[in-house]
Amino acid sequence: MARWQTWRWVLADVLPAGEPIAVPVHEPQPVAGLPQEVQPLPGAVVVEGARYWLYPGLHVTLYRDDAEGYFLNLSSPQPCFWVFWRADEERLIDGEPMAVPQIVTLSYHDAGRWLDAQERVDQVPAPAEVVDWLRGFVAEHYRAEPKRRQRPDSFKPLTDRFGQPVRISTDKPRGGLSPAGEGHGR
């Protein structure tokens, strides 16, 4: 934290609230509850002077078509949750906007898109039971794309900068200037 910064928002953890359930695709997503100031959990690292907020009701939704993003998360040294959050100018604490989580995901692809868009994204390690659950989902839905043999460049056709085929001729040029600058006659 910088000298001039009196405080900052830090993601402490993502707490699973229950067992995973299957939800129909067209079912409305539950709305997150209002933030509640809480005490740190027993055994948590406590920072002196820090305040802790709980944002209940955020859901992690897994999609079959993003199984590769979950696979990449599992392939990392430490699988994690990513939390995309924004500052809420309407909710102030000590005159500063409150950080409000928008989405929680386990997808490497989602986190990458948000970071590319310059959004605020934090990560915390996923607990073992979440990693096991995610591993089961990936095992059921992820199919690696078969690797395609890459053709050596020497076999690729030559093209100009517009993509048009190029033909290389080994014949000596006809006409034009000679090395001495004189034209060839016929």
Side-chain angles (χ1 to χ4, degrees):
M1 192 157 61
R3 299 185 290 211
W4 53 267
Q5 192 176 16
T6 56
W7 57 272
R8 66 181 173 142
W9 290 99
V10 177
L11 177 63
D13 207 350
V14 173
L15 305 172
E19 292 296 315
I21 58 170
V23 178
V25 175
H26 300 294
E27 182 118 349
Q29 290 290 324
V31 178
L34 292 174
Q36 307 160 5
E37 190 166 4
V38 297
Q39 294 299 315
L41 292 172
V45 176
V46 178
V47 177
E48 187 178 332
R51 294 169 68 183
Y52 296 84
W53 295 87
L54 177 67
Y55 293 85
L58 290 168
H59 289 247
V60 174
T61 304
L62 300 185
Y63 300 95
R64 286 185 294 249
D65 62 349
D66 197 13
E68 182 183 40
Y70 311 127
F71 170 78
L72 292 172
N73 188 4
L74 288 172
S75 301
S76 70
Q78 176 65 57
C80 61
F81 283 108
W82 284 279
V83 178
F84 159 44
W85 62 275
R86 288 192 172 144
D88 186 350
E89 304 289 335
E90 310 258 328
R91 295 182 194 159
L92 301 177
I93 297 178
D94 299 334
E96 295 291 328
M98 181 178 235
V100 179
Q102 306 293 308
I103 303 172
V104 180
T105 188
L106 289 162
S107 171
Y108 192 86
H109 290 178
D110 286 344
R113 281 190 289 271
W114 298 332
L115 288 167
D116 287 346
Q118 305 294 312
E119 296 289 356
R120 295 177 180 139
V121 179
D122 290 324
Q123 68 183 47
V124 293
E129 61 271 9
V130 171
V131 173
D132 291 341
W133 170 63
L134 185 61
R135 194 171 281 120
F137 183 88
V138 167
E140 184 178 345
H141 299 289
Y142 176 64
R143 300 292 170 257
E145 289 190 28
K147 293 189 178 189
R148 296 186 182 125
R149 182 176 171 267
Q150 190 170 5
R151 202 170 178 177
D153 287 340
S154 60
F155 288 98
K156 290 184 181 174
L158 293 175
T159 58
D160 64 12
R161 63 183 177 152
F162 302 108
Q164 300 300 318
V166 174
R167 194 179 90 203
I168 298 176
S169 172
T170 57
D171 295 341
K172 292 186 177 184
R174 298 182 187 172
L177 298 175
S178 67
E182 300 172 1
H184 289 274
R186 284 193 162 181

